[in-house]
Amino acid sequence: MLWGGCLPASQNSTPFSMTHAASQAPGYPQTGCARMERGAAANCRIWEATAAGSRGLKAGVCGCCGALRPRYKRLVDNIFPEDSEDGLVKSNMEKLTFYALSAPEKLDRIGAYLSERLSRDVARHRYGYVCIAMEALDQLLMACHCQSINLFVESFLKMVAKLVESEKPDLQILGTNSFVKFANIEEDTPSYHRSYDFFVSRFSEMCHNNDDELDVRNKIRMAGIKGLQGVVRKTVNDELQANIWDPQHMDKIVPSLLYNLQYAEEAESRSPSPLQAADKEKESPAELAERCLRELLGRAAYGNIKNATKPVLMHLDNHKLWEPQIFAIRCFKIIMYSIQPQHSHLVIQQLLGHLDANSKSAATVRAGIVEVLSEAAVIAASGSVGPTVLEVFNTLLRQLRLSIDYELTGSYDSALNIGSKIIKEHEERMFQEAVIKTIGSFASTLPTYQRSEVMLFIMSKVPLPSLQHAIEMGKTGVNRTRLIQIMLLKSLLQVSIGFQCSNLLSALPSSFLDPLLCVSLMEDGEIRLFVLEILISLMDRHGNRHKFSAISTISDISVLKLKVDKCSRQDTLFMKKHAQQLYRHIYLSCNERTNIHPHYEAIYGMLAMISIELATEEVVVDLIRLVLAVQELALTNEDNLPVYNRCALYAICAAYLNVISQLTTVPAFCQHIHEVIEARQKQAPYLLPEDVFLEKPRLPKSVDHLEREVLFLQSKISEVLGGSGYNSDRLSTPYIPQLTDEDRLSKRKSIGDTMSLQVEVESRNSPEKEEKAPAEEITFETLKKAIVDSVAVEEQERERRRQVVEKFQKAPFEEIAAHCGARATLLQSKLNQIFDITIRPPPSPSGTITAAYGQPQHHSIPVYEMKFPDLCVY
């Protein structure tokens, strides 16, 4: 019946039908022939069915008869119940799984048939069966890891694509969840042809969903974020897959994640409703996006950092998120904390490059980038700015100079026809302060030796008059030069804050200290103040600066709890080399008419820092002499200083001598200082800091006639300190600054220094000292003659050397040997004479001369006055 019913009508011949009917009729005798006839008829039907299949009718046969369908199709069909609400038939699913594991070559056909059924069910809106099909696919994926799974995965991905393309949110979420499960499977065999471009685009689109219902919108966005996370996990570690770090993928993935982070920032800025507050317990799209972004960046290798961070910069540009910079700072904090620490400098270089690219953008945009740079530098580990440290500071200083030009000209670039853009001066100032702050942040992450290099680099950029830097003329040029000087000194001050160095001699070389002190002599009071603050910051290595922020005559400095260490050998060498230079500039700074209260606080702090950090017995003596010279400066008033400046100088002297007397702990010295201070309190309180450094100082009309009791006496101080072992001769010598022409940036050659010292000593010690000849008048002719004479001398010296070389090259050996022997004999005789003079001096005609202290003294020629032959001098 089964086979007969399946055959076409033309094949059911009459004899067969009659015979079959007769055999089934009641009462028909079941003879052997009948049984044979039935067997022949059955064989005939089998042959006819086979013949029909060979003629291409197999599809029709299988479609009409379930028993002839392939086993994998029957097994797939059996997992679907009659009612979709009953769910997957688990027992039949187990059979299908066992069959797939037993015959893995059938996996691709199973996947294709399931895909066909799912597409048909989606088209007919039978979503229950769609869910059953996806559940079956998920179980097959989890169970099968054979080599043929690649073909099955292709069918699976087609079904997932079909679902995420649907307009139904539930189907999109269902497809995404299946893809995430697939992404977590580690495949045993590689795939060379699989592509995820469609999924990257579709999941990114889901991340930007704007459905009217909040719940639906959040679900779709979270599904999109999970899908992107799955794509990253599936491809990031597989070299055979398409490179997920390519810009075409990163430009979709990263902005999608940032969009959800940005959406959360905007939602938090509004007042949350009670319903939103209750939903906070659930994971939000923003939290999931941040977690996914951190995972993505954590997997980034050295070569992928640029592709991962560039979309962040573009997103912030496109959505104008640099102002305010809260969201931008949050994004880069996520980046800096997620990437590997050794890659931090790559992010900073990206930000610097972006700052250069936006050098003509609005000041608020540039300030936002710089603020982000500052935060990133703090997070970066020490020394992670990278191998090109000076390039970082060079970029920031270049932006600083450009901002000053914008501020003065009011235009970014007239050649580009954007000069009409309004430039707000206060915004440029904010940008400049942000750059200075960022320079300090970078410097704080550097080791000491690199920070010294940075300070030297910044100092080399400061324009100084009459040096290599060209000073622009005109009002605009002067203003530009002044602003550049101020901004660079501010930057230098930021770098110097917190500078800790045990060896100032190497940390502050002459190439840095000389131009810095040169700047301190400028007329601009603001510039001078910055120089003093920089010097104080560099010398304050124990945090004592703030304890001297206010000038006062404190009776007991122990309450300040000063941290004082013994001066090291390196610091002693530093002071021996640079002390007189420092004293001179302090003295000249005190003699400026434009000084105000902050200047005097800085001068006082400078004196205190030298006394605490670099004090030796010689330094203490010189500082006391310097302060007494400042008092004399205020007393004589040769430069007609105002009354306030003179009273301020008297007050500084009182405050500093009060401090140094307690540091030296010499009772007589302390007593003299306290007596003078008490006398001033009674007779002239305007000479003390408590009355001078006020908002409204109490000053007299004149301070020309002062009593001796209110002045610190150099003779008295020299006497009391000399009794305690200090150099009284040096103390009694008034300090006079060396007002000579300094070679500010280049030291003289050591040979030249030695020659000048020898000339000076010979002129002083010569017994035939004659009256000083009148100075020769210097004219053009004398200069010309000096140049011509020097050229002639050089020509003569060159000719003499040529003759000597020619003689030794061409003269016979015997002549050269005789010449050298004669010179050697002459040299030996001269040496014998010298030894006779020094070892056996001739007796005096009157015998031995007794010196003033009763010691015998012999007359002999000093060594430095002896006339040595030319052969002894090299």
Side-chain angles (χ1 to χ4, degrees):
M1 286 293 291
L2 179 63
W3 282 94
C6 292
L7 290 174
S10 61
Q11 298 297 327
N12 293 332
S13 57
T14 303
F16 169 72
S17 301
M18 292 175 62
T19 305
H20 181 67
S23 65
Q24 298 297 328
Y28 190 84
Q30 301 291 328
T31 62
C33 292
R35 287 195 298 271
M36 291 177 62
E37 187 178 359
R38 287 198 299 271
N43 291 334
C44 179
R45 287 195 295 271
I46 293 172
W47 177 87
E48 287 175 348
T50 305
S54 65
R55 291 192 301 267
L57 298 177
K58 183 177 179 181
V61 172
C62 295
C64 299
C65 180
L68 293 179
R69 295 168 65 82
R71 186 180 180 188
Y72 72 90
K73 286 190 176 181
R74 282 183 281 131
L75 290 173
V76 169
D77 291 336
N78 290 338
I79 67 174
F80 292 93
E82 293 183 2
D83 187 359
S84 61
E85 295 182 357
D86 294 340
L88 183 68
V89 180
K90 295 183 179 180
S91 59
N92 293 335
M93 185 64 213
E94 292 175 357
K95 295 178 182 179
L96 177 62
T97 304
F98 179 78
Y99 177 75
L101 292 172
S102 303
E105 67 276 3
K106 300 292 185 180
L107 259 178
D108 57 333
R109 299 185 184 182
I110 294 173
Y113 184 57
L114 273 171
S115 177
E116 178 186 346
R117 287 205 55 152
L118 185 137
S119 300
R120 184 168 62 245
D121 291 336
V122 169
R124 296 175 182 176
H125 304 288
R126 297 191 297 188
Y127 300 126
Y129 289 112
V130 172
C131 296
I132 293 174
M134 291 307 301
E135 184 180 354
L137 282 168
D138 293 342
Q139 292 191 23
L140 286 174
L141 273 176
M142 298 298 292
C144 302
H145 293 279
C146 62
Q147 294 182 354
S148 302
I149 196 173
N150 280 331
L151 297 176
F152 175 73
V153 169
E154 293 301 322
S155 301
F156 168 78
L157 293 179
K158 288 180 182 178
M159 287 182 276
V160 172
K162 187 77 174 177
L163 293 180
V164 297
E165 280 182 321
S166 173
E167 296 181 356
K168 298 290 182 180
D170 292 339
L171 294 184
Q172 296 178 23
I173 296 171
L174 177 64
T176 303
N177 292 337
S178 294
F179 183 84
V180 172
K181 293 177 183 177
F182 161 70
N184 292 328
I185 297 175
E186 295 183 3
E187 299 182 49
D188 298 334
T189 55
S191 174
Y192 298 93
H193 58 280
R194 196 180 302 163
S195 174
Y196 297 96
D197 294 356
F198 166 78
F199 293 102
V200 171
S201 301
R202 180 56 187 160
F203 290 144
S204 300
E205 184 180 349
M206 292 169 64
C207 291
H208 291 81
N209 183 272
N210 285 318
D211 195 274
D212 295 334
E213 295 185 15
L214 178 62
D215 187 47
V216 175
R217 180 168 67 242
N218 287 342
K219 287 182 178 179
I220 294 178
R221 288 187 178 185
M222 290 185 69
I225 296 170
K226 291 178 180 178
L228 290 177
Q229 190 177 26
V231 172
V232 171
R233 290 178 178 176
K234 196 66 180 174
T235 60
V236 71
N237 292 326
D238 192 349
E239 296 180 356
L240 299 175
Q241 301 290 352
N243 191 358
I244 199 66
W245 301 106
D246 287 343
Q248 59 179 346
H249 299 309
M250 286 290 105
D251 290 345
K252 297 175 183 177
I253 295 175
V254 175
S256 301
L257 300 177
L258 294 179
Y259 178 78
N260 286 274
L261 282 174
Q262 175 190 349
Y263 175 79
E265 292 279 344
E266 295 174 356
E268 289 176 1
S269 62
R270 310 186 193 101
S271 56
S273 62
L275 182 61
Q276 290 176 338
D279 291 342
K280 277 190 175 181
E281 297 179 0
K282 303 178 182 178
E283 188 176 30
S284 64
E287 294 172 350
L288 184 61
E290 180 177 346
R291 186 152 49 85
C292 183
L293 182 61
R294 289 182 183 276
E295 181 180 348
L296 174 68
L297 295 168
R299 296 173 181 265
Y302 180 87
N304 303 324
I305 296 294
K306 181 178 179 181
N307 291 342
T309 54
K310 187 175 180 181
V312 179
L313 299 172
M314 299 306 297
H315 181 84
L316 297 175
D317 285 342
N318 296 335
H319 293 267
K320 299 179 179 179
L321 296 174
W322 293 110
E323 181 200 5
Q325 59 270 17
I326 299 174
F327 179 72
I329 291 175
R330 182 188 176 192
C331 289
F332 275 89
K333 280 186 175 180
I334 293 173
I335 293 174
M336 298 301 291
Y337 283 123
S338 300
I339 62 175
Q340 300 178 32
Q342 64 268 26
H343 300 160
S344 298
H345 68 277
L346 295 176
V347 179
I348 291 174
Q349 287 179 358
Q350 283 284 98
L351 284 168
L352 289 170
H354 196 67
L355 179 60
D356 277 339
N358 287 272
S359 59
K360 294 179 182 178
S361 300
T364 52
V365 173
R366 287 178 281 131
I369 299 174
V370 170
E371 286 287 347
V372 172
L373 262 171
S374 178
E375 295 292 335
V378 173
I379 297 172
S382 177
S384 67
V385 180
T388 56
V389 176
L390 295 182
E391 289 186 11
V392 174
F393 290 93
N394 191 32
T395 301
L396 293 174
L397 295 179
R398 182 170 64 250
Q399 292 296 325
L400 202 57
R401 297 178 74 104
L402 286 175
S403 177
I404 292 172
D405 290 339
Y406 297 157
E407 179 185 347
L408 292 174
T409 60
S411 168
Y412 291 117
D413 191 353
S414 57
L416 297 177
N417 298 323
I418 57 176
S420 59
K421 186 182 293 186
I422 299 175
I423 295 179
K424 298 179 181 179
E425 184 176 344
H426 71 279
E427 291 182 353
E428 291 295 336
R429 289 292 177 91
M430 290 175 57
F431 169 72
Q432 293 163 14
E433 294 297 331
V435 171
I436 293 170
K437 176 187 173 185
T438 303
I439 289 175
S441 298
F442 273 115
S444 64
T445 65
L446 298 177
T448 301
Y449 73 95
Q450 280 189 330
R451 196 184 289 202
S452 299
E453 292 178 358
V454 170
M455 290 192 296
L456 186 60
F457 178 75
I458 296 176
M459 194 66 234
S460 67
K461 299 289 184 179
V462 178
L464 301 175
S466 69
L467 295 175
Q468 291 90 343
H469 303 86
I471 303 298
E472 301 180 54
M473 303 304 293
K475 185 176 180 180
T476 304
V478 172
N479 290 337
R480 178 182 289 107
T481 301
R482 179 182 178 275
L483 286 175
I484 290 174
Q485 289 170 342
I486 290 175
M487 292 302 166
L488 291 179
L489 289 175
K490 278 186 177 180
S491 305
L492 195 57
L493 179 59
Q494 286 291 324
V495 176
S496 65
I497 292 175
F499 181 74
Q500 297 290 334
C501 179
S502 59
N503 188 356
L504 287 178
L505 190 61
S506 60
L508 303 178
S510 299
S511 55
F512 171 79
L513 199 58
D514 290 347
L516 182 63
L517 293 177
C518 178
V519 176
S520 70
L521 299 179
M522 291 184 175
E523 296 180 359
D524 193 298
E526 188 175 3
I527 293 177
R528 294 200 312 273
L529 182 60
F530 279 127
V531 173
L532 289 171
E533 292 292 345
I534 290 168
L535 290 171
I536 293 171
S537 180
L538 293 174
M539 292 181 183
D540 182 22
R541 292 169 291 180
H542 295 89
N544 293 318
R545 171 66 180 95
H546 67 281
K547 300 173 183 177
F548 296 97
S549 57
I551 307 175
S552 63
T553 54
I554 184 171
S555 59
D556 184 9
I557 64 170
S558 61
V559 298
L560 298 178
K561 298 180 180 179
L562 300 175
K563 298 178 181 178
V564 183
D565 285 342
K566 186 179 179 181
C567 185
S568 63
R569 181 176 178 274
Q570 292 84 359
D571 292 343
T572 303
L573 294 176
F574 173 80
M575 289 305 292
K576 284 184 177 180
K577 185 175 182 180
H578 298 292
Q580 296 303 322
Q581 200 176 9
L582 291 172
Y583 301 153
R584 173 176 180 265
H585 286 80
I586 292 174
Y587 180 86
L588 296 177
S589 297
C590 293
N591 199 24
E592 293 290 342
R593 299 176 60 88
T594 56
N595 284 346
I596 55 176
H597 185 190
H599 292 87
Y600 294 115
E601 285 185 347
I603 292 172
Y604 172 67
M606 180 76 172
L607 291 169
M609 287 303 105
I610 295 177
S611 303
I612 294 174
E613 298 286 347
L614 305 170
T616 61
E617 182 178 325
E618 182 180 352
V619 170
V620 170
V621 169
D622 287 341
L623 287 174
I624 294 174
R625 292 174 58 228
L626 172 63
V627 171
L628 292 175
V630 171
Q631 178 184 259
E632 187 66 22
L633 176 68
L635 187 63
T636 56
N637 196 24
E638 295 178 356
D639 295 326
N640 295 322
L641 295 175
V643 174
Y644 172 78
N645 296 60
R646 296 175 67 186
C647 291
L649 293 180
Y650 284 121
I652 285 179
C653 294
Y656 174 72
L657 289 174
N658 175 62
V659 171
I660 197 66
S661 65
Q662 298 185 53
L663 288 176
T664 55
T665 64
V666 178
F669 184 33
C670 296
Q671 182 180 358
H672 173 66
I673 302 301
H674 290 160
E675 287 175 355
V676 176
I677 292 175
E678 290 176 0
R680 289 187 178 186
Q681 290 173 349
K682 296 177 182 179
Q683 303 177 24
Y686 49 83
L687 302 182
L688 293 175
E690 287 77 9
D691 278 29
V692 176
F693 301 114
L694 302 172
E695 290 186 9
K696 295 181 179 180
R698 298 185 287 269
L699 302 177
K701 294 182 180 180
S702 174
V703 288
D704 289 335
H705 305 288
L706 296 177
E707 299 295 334
R708 183 181 176 87
E709 291 79 9
V710 298
L711 297 177
F712 300 101
L713 304 178
Q714 187 158 5
S715 58
K716 181 67 174 177
I717 294 175
S718 175
E719 178 185 349
V720 296
L721 288 180
S724 299
Y726 288 87
N727 190 341
S728 58
D729 293 338
R730 190 173 182 85
L731 276 169
S732 59
T733 305
Y735 171 77
I736 300 175
Q738 301 172 358
L739 298 177
T740 58
D741 295 333
E742 289 185 37
D743 199 358
R744 290 177 178 171
L745 288 183
S746 60
K747 300 292 289 181
R748 291 179 297 177
K749 301 295 183 182
S750 58
I751 297 177
D753 289 342
T754 305
M755 291 175 62
S756 63
L757 288 173
Q758 288 177 350
V759 170
E760 184 178 359
V761 169
E762 289 178 1
S763 64
R764 290 182 179 179
N765 297 335
S766 176
E768 300 88 15
K769 188 171 181 181
E770 299 177 356
E771 294 183 0
K772 185 176 180 182
E776 181 183 359
E777 184 181 358
I778 299 176
T779 62
F780 174 75
E781 293 298 330
T782 57
L783 292 176
K784 182 178 179 182
K785 183 179 179 182
I787 294 173
V788 172
D789 291 345
S790 63
V791 172
V793 171
E794 289 179 1
E795 289 292 337
Q796 294 176 4
E797 182 68 20
R798 193 179 299 111
E799 179 65 20
R800 189 183 68 82
R801 290 179 181 175
R802 187 187 64 77
Q803 292 176 359
V804 171
V805 172
E806 184 177 357
K807 178 179 180 181
F808 277 88
Q809 287 179 345
K810 298 181 179 180
F813 176 76
E814 292 78 6
E815 182 181 346
I816 296 174
H819 176 72
C820 293
R823 297 193 67 177
T825 304
L826 177 63
L827 175 61
Q828 186 64 40
S829 63
K830 292 291 185 183
L831 289 175
N832 292 334
Q833 293 177 11
I834 293 171
F835 294 149
D836 290 339
I837 293 172
T838 55
I839 298 175
R840 296 184 299 274
S844 175
S846 59
T848 303
I849 299 176
T850 304
Y853 298 98
Q855 297 294 333
Q857 184 176 8
H858 298 285
H859 282 290
S860 62
I861 301 174
V863 176
Y864 59 83
E865 291 186 4
M866 295 178 185
K867 300 299 181 182
F868 291 92
D870 292 340
L871 292 175
C872 297
V873 180
Y874 291 91

